[in-house]
Amino acid sequence: MNLLSLSDWINLLLGAIQVLQDGFLHMLAALGLAQTSHGQPAWPFAERLSGDVLLIDRSIARQLLSALGFSVVALLALLIALVWRRGRVVMLLATIAIVFFTPWPDRHLLVAPAEPTSFHTSPTGFSVAAIVHGRQVYEQHCASCHAVDGKGDTPLALSLPVSPPNLASGLLWRRADGELFWKIAYGARDRHGAATMPGFTRQLADNDVWALIDFMKANAAGASIRAIGSWDQPVALPAGAGADDCSKQAAHGGGQRVRVILASARQSAALPLDDPRLRSVILADGALKLPAPQAGAPAIDCLSRSKDAWQALSIITGIDSDQLAGTQLLTDRDGWLRARKLPADSNGAWSESDILCRAPAYMEAGKSNKPGGLDGLIAAMDAEPVRFIKGGFVHATP
Ligand code: HEC
């Protein structure tokens, strides 16, 4: 049996911290004890539990895990004391000793400042419409400081006493969505209370702010591809990019690998055939016509002409929208975007090297005896699922 690694434990812990607090807030709301902020139950405290430090400093993670382990032992000893009369005194002493001597990490390491919206979830849910709308809002209100690409190096930004951070980095994934929301709505202040970034709650509706967050993530994903050739943060195929009006898709339901083929009218002839291992969707630009079905060759019959989807995928892949035709994207069964094929190699087959978001461990392990082509790529995706917890790991690290 494989014992869980430290990363697994930290992931579990991060998940538990999130679920517990979220559950607590929803219980308060169900009992009518929570106030409402921007349409969702408001977190009532100035602080919240946070696992961020656990990721940076593993010795603290170990200390917390062992303290929790000792607490479980203490609880067991207490239970035994309740039922085992003759050993009661010994067990009670043991309980007290464990509780007293367990070294807990400093509480300041485990809490972070919270906002009323800390546990809010985005109602826009990373959709193509939100990403495209978010871009408009961003260009109008944010790009003057944060720059169109999010790097924050505009002349205006450089003249500010506090420079904006690089939004095209992993920053947005480390923050709680609800706390990004709060920053954008109410701005940021430095230690002396002077405003460093203005708030936008008067100018923007709540949905504009959520759409901004979707856009900034899509934009950072594209920036990551341009800079390092891969998505170093998990990116989902946005809702609305998968041909919702497709008959076959409805029959299959979710949980499938999706291949999105971006095709322009020029390419009608060269469209790939359907493949039973994937659900294939053609995202067409302009007046593309599907080729007439040929006997014995299963054609793809899922077609979308969503302009928003085209724009959103252009942002996420970091490819200009007029260069995008011929690109193919592949998701895993959980809906994470994992692989990309560029038009230049559109005639060649898929291979494992098309994966853009993956764990370092798998890349090294047993290269020789793995299947090639699409099978190899699927095996690699399945072997290393994206495990993402806000502020947590993207992939398991060894
Ligand atoms: C006047 C310049 C300016 C404008 C306009 C501006 N920002 Fe900022 N932004 C900043 C600065 C400066 C910071 C750094 C604040 C700090 O760390 O105190 C920042 C920080 C941020 C952060 C990082 C928050 C974090 O948790 O670290 C986000 C996200 C952000 N801005 C989004 C936006 C969005 C979205 C808009 C448009 C609605 C916007 N900003 C408009 C200057 C600006």
Side-chain angles (χ1 to χ4, degrees), residues 137-138 140-146 156-157 160-165 167 171-172 175 179-180 183-184 187-190 194-198 200 204 209 212-213 216:
V137 183
Y138 182 89
Q140 194 181 344
H141 294 280
C142 322
S144 54
C145 287
H146 287 285
L156 176 55
L160 298 171
V162 176
S163 316
L167 299 179
L171 176 121
L172 301 166
R175 301 273 193 267
E179 289 172 4
L180 288 172
K183 274 257 169 71
I184 301 168
R189 294 180 175 279
D190 66 11
T196 51
M197 168 174 141
F200 289 87
L204 300 177
V209 178
L212 276 169
I213 295 173
M216 290 189 297

Side-chain angles (χ1 to χ4, degrees), residues 83-101:
V83 293
W84 184 31
R85 275 207 200 151
R86 289 178 61 197
R88 185 162 294 166
V89 174
V90 177
M91 281 299 162
L92 281 178
L93 286 177
T95 308
I96 293 167
I98 297 171
V99 169
F100 195 75
F101 288 112

